[in-house]
Amino acid sequence: MKELNKVGYTVLFIPETASELINGGVSPVTCAANADFQKCLFELQMTKERAFVRAAEGMEGEKCLIVCDRGALDNKAYMSKEEFAEVLDFVDRNEVQLRDSYDAVFHLVTAAKGAESFYTLSNNQARTETPEQAREIDEKLIAAWTGHPHLRVIDNSTDFEGKMQRLIAEIAAFLVSPNRWR
């Protein structure tokens, strides 16, 4: 994101909430049910997002970008339809409201899909998926965000550095797009 700093953007980064909870001892295994874990996750995710927006509003300059490592709707991929309906009721939102609360969505395809030799569990203690499970979840993630007007999927057709360059290019294109704000 240094490239965006160079063109005058203040970039704020919200870390992945699920990993924070799981590494802190709160997980689908430690909670009474997956839906209970997901409610904790949604509540914390949405609180963090509100806090970052509040902070951004108080910062000098007009060019502030908030990047979430996972949006709240990503969690749909980890729930049954019934659990997802329960969580939506808990947060008093519908799926479209939740999806469209993000200005843009940039999905980075898992390394388990096209860059298998780089897929690892060692860089995140909270990650437990086999490559096959990661590919299945990846498809569910894309499906969850499908319909968002600014969904961009960044695949593994290049090395990781190239993937990051394509991500930055997509973000930059979105930022200069006259139709970016709804």
Side-chain angles (χ1 to χ4, degrees):
M1 298 295 165
K2 294 175 188 173
E3 294 85 352
L4 296 169
N5 291 131
K6 291 177 186 175
V7 293
Y9 278 89
T10 298
V11 180
L12 305 178
F13 185 79
I14 302 176
E16 182 185 14
T17 304
S19 290
E20 290 177 336
L21 285 172
I22 292 168
N23 291 331
V26 178
S27 74
V29 175
T30 61
C31 289
N34 184 47
D36 294 325
F37 170 72
Q38 295 295 338
K39 289 174 185 176
C40 293
L41 200 159
F42 267 74
E43 191 169 44
L44 182 55
Q45 177 75 28
M46 295 168 76
T47 298
K48 286 170 39 177
E49 289 176 13
R50 282 191 302 272
F52 274 73
V53 167
R54 185 174 299 117
E57 290 170 346
M59 292 182 174
E60 290 187 29
E62 296 179 27
K63 295 168 73 172
C64 192
L65 177 67
I66 301 172
V67 177
C68 299
D69 182 350
R70 298 257 188 191
L73 194 54
D74 281 352
N75 304 310
K76 181 182 180 185
Y78 297 88
M79 290 182 267
S80 68
K81 289 179 183 180
E82 296 77 19
E83 289 169 330
F84 185 58
E86 184 179 334
V87 171
L88 286 176
D89 186 54
F90 174 76
V91 296
D92 196 29
R93 299 257 178 103
N94 68 47
E95 185 173 356
V96 173
Q97 289 171 319
L98 192 60
R99 182 195 70 203
D100 292 351
S101 67
Y102 296 87
D103 294 316
V105 178
F106 302 94
H107 175 78
L108 301 176
V109 172
T110 177
K113 190 179 193 180
E116 290 83 355
S117 63
F118 296 100
Y119 182 76
T120 181
L121 302 178
S122 65
N123 62 353
N124 184 339
Q125 294 177 349
R127 184 178 296 138
T128 60
E129 296 91 7
T130 65
E132 182 178 281
Q133 290 169 325
R135 287 188 291 272
E136 290 173 14
I137 290 169
D138 198 75
E139 291 299 322
K140 290 179 180 179
L141 291 167
I142 292 170
W145 292 103
T146 296
H148 192 286
H150 298 288
L151 169 63
R152 301 296 181 266
V153 177
I154 314 295
D155 64 18
N156 292 305
S157 59
T158 60
D159 63 9
F160 187 73
E161 185 177 321
K163 187 176 184 178
M164 292 300 100
Q165 289 172 351
R166 289 184 292 128
L167 171 63
I168 297 299
E170 288 287 352
I171 292 171
F174 170 75
L175 292 173
V176 299
S177 169
N179 300 319
R180 72 174 188 234
W181 308 117
R182 291 171 272 136

